[in-house]
Amino acid sequence: MHPFALSRADDLAKAIAAHAMDGQVAFIAGGTDLLGLMKDRAALPERLLDINGLPDLARIEALPDGGLRIGALARMSEVAADMEVRRRFPVIAESLLFAASGQLRNMASIGGNLMQRTRCAYFRDDDAPPCNKRSPGSGCSARHGLNRNHAILGWSDACVATNPSDVAVAFAALDAIVHVRGLSGERSISFADFHRLPDSAPERDTVLGRGDLIVAVEVPARAEGRASHYLKVRDRESYEFALVSVAAAVAVDGKHIRSARLAMGGVAHKPWRLAAAESALRGVPLDDVDVLSAAIAQSFADARPLAHNRFKVELAKRAALRALQVAGGRK
Ligand SMILES: Cc1cc2nc3c(=O)[nH]c(=O)nc-3n(C[C@H](O)[C@H](O)[C@H](O)COP(=O)(O)OP(=O)(O)OC[C@H]3O[C@@H](n4cnc5c(N)ncnc54)[C@H](O)[C@@H]3O)c2cc1C
Ligand code: SF4
């Protein structure tokens, strides 16, 4: 095991300064991803700064306007069980309940979940095969290797990995806002801009830099919030990452869709919003499967499956249709 020093932070500003000034410091919350990465030698920080003692970061607040503010240190299990989360945004609670295992959800924080790294097996292999995310410039073993679990949209030759977070897909569909504290104060990042596509720098998963600490995620009130659903398709029903997943939320007028929100996991380096489908679904009857399917297909016109994951294109379309129908049934 890689040796490291552990200290506990009790002051937000000091924790941020320590992280900004020392490239060997890593924040640790639940440790459920970071410690695995250290065992796989995919992350080798010399100093871990435990942020669990920082005040006021674990609160889950139901905002008076119908939105939510979820502290970065709130545990996945607490958020999934919160009555207001379940009532206002079932898609968030479901995305968390389908993620990891009970024990992991008790430890794992929302901030850590958004920062978790890809499950690409080459990236996590401690024999360190070529991987641009782990070792920039070394190549991508998955591009022409085993890529069944990899991306079908938005990938580059430098990296074809997918983002593994489930709750990030729900946050993307709902246009959540990530509140980040850095050396120059607090800033808000729209969820669409938080995670990155790989382009030529796949080693960077998000737009955060040194000294940036997620303090909370805010979910604004949404007309589509209550009629929402998270559907996850995976290789086994006990804990497993998504092959594809869908967060769907709709507002309806009678039988017709007034507005729809759709985001997918397991298909790209970041949660993938189905923008073309959302536009095409406006005014469509919820029970017209052919028209719904045609609208969803518009978001896959640019899909570029790899050698082993062509099946994901059809699976993703069917999953999106099913999630939309279940969400619509909750109106
Ligand atoms: C077996 C297994 C199965 C899993 N299955 C799923 C699944 O199906 N779906 C899913 O979504 N996830 C799954 N996970 C991942 C799990 O949800 C994450 O490991 C967890 O959410 C990470 O949270 P943490 O608090 O433990 O983060 P840590 O491991 O403590 O930290 C992870 C990263 O986030 C950084 N970090 C932590 N908090 C902050 C903050 N506030 N601001 C900035 N950076 C921060 C750390 O520095 C580190 O880089 C699984 C994990 C395991 C081990
Ligand atoms: S897909 Fe990305 S993470 Fe996986 S081997 Fe290629 S560069 Fe590494």
Side-chain angles (χ1 to χ4, degrees):
M1 181 74 185
H2 167 69
F4 60 88
L6 175 70
S7 57
R8 293 192 168 80
D10 53 14
D11 179 275
L12 191 59
K14 284 186 192 157
I16 287 166
H19 192 270
M21 286 183 297
D22 182 349
Q24 284 303 322
V25 169
F27 296 133
I28 184 165
T32 62
D33 193 39
L34 184 57
L35 294 178
L37 291 167
M38 289 169 69
K39 288 183 201 160
D40 295 337
R41 304 186 67 77
L44 297 169
E46 289 174 10
R47 286 172 278 290
L48 299 188
L49 189 52
D50 180 346
I51 57 174
N52 290 295
L54 292 176
D56 293 332
L57 294 186
R59 232 180 297 148
I60 306 167
E61 289 172 77
L63 302 176
D65 65 357
L68 290 174
R69 185 178 162 102
I70 303 171
L73 288 174
R75 265 40 198 182
M76 290 169 71
S77 52
E78 292 165 353
V79 180
D82 185 278
M83 285 315 292
E84 285 304 316
V85 174
R86 295 167 64 143
R87 196 171 68 80
R88 296 180 183 197
F89 300 102
V91 67
I92 295 177
E94 290 172 355
S95 70
L96 290 164
L97 286 174
F98 284 122
S101 64
Q103 293 94 329
L104 284 162
R105 293 194 295 269
N106 287 340
M107 284 299 289
S109 67
I110 292 296
N113 188 289
L114 301 186
M115 297 297 288
Q116 67 175 295
R117 307 214 69 196
T118 184
R119 304 308 291 197
C120 173
Y122 298 107
F123 170 75
R124 298 217 174 219
D125 185 339
D126 63 3
D127 283 340
C131 170
N132 289 321
K133 194 179 277 299
R134 182 171 171 139
S135 175
S138 61
C140 172
S141 295
R143 173 72 184 87
H144 300 290
L146 296 175
N147 48 36
R148 176 176 178 269
N149 294 330
H150 290 69
I152 56 171
L153 289 155
W155 53 265
S156 70
D157 279 331
C159 179
V160 294
T162 55
N163 183 292
S165 168
D166 287 295
V167 75
V169 182
F171 287 150
L174 295 166
D175 282 316
I177 297 155
V178 187
H179 293 284
V180 175
R181 190 76 68 85
L183 273 183
S184 48
E186 191 164 318
R187 65 190 194 280
S188 307
I189 303 172
S190 67
F191 211 81
D193 297 331
F194 184 76
H195 290 102
R196 295 181 66 258
L197 286 179
D199 300 322
S200 56
E203 69 276 14
R204 294 189 58 216
D205 296 332
T206 72
V207 295
L208 298 195
R210 293 228 53 92
D212 282 339
L213 181 90
I214 302 171
V215 291
V217 177
E218 186 181 334
V219 187
R222 297 289 176 211
E224 305 89 351
R226 291 191 69 166
S228 64
H229 177 56
Y230 190 73
L231 177 67
K232 180 170 177 178
V233 183
R234 46 190 169 169
D235 280 331
R236 56 175 184 191
E237 272 304 301
S238 63
Y239 69 87
E240 186 53 280
F241 292 90
L243 276 175
V244 302
S245 67
V246 191
V250 286
V252 293
D253 279 330
K255 279 173 63 178
H256 293 79
I257 294 174
R258 178 152 41 98
S259 57
R261 294 172 169 274
L262 286 170
M264 297 211 63
V267 296
H269 197 259
K270 61 187 281 186
W272 193 264
R273 196 75 181 265
L274 306 192
E278 290 178 4
S279 304
L281 285 166
R282 234 168 262 135
V284 168
L286 253 176
D287 57 1
D288 192 333
V289 171
D290 291 342
V291 181
L292 295 178
S293 301
I296 288 166
Q298 292 192 23
S299 279
F300 293 91
D302 297 333
R304 288 185 300 147
L306 302 162
H308 302 122
N309 68 8
R310 183 161 296 277
F311 72 97
K312 274 196 182 185
V313 179
E314 185 57 30
L315 185 62
K317 290 181 197 170
R318 291 187 194 190
L321 173 65
R322 183 74 191 127
L324 189 64
Q325 289 173 318
V326 175
R330 291 179 170 173
K331 61 186 181 286

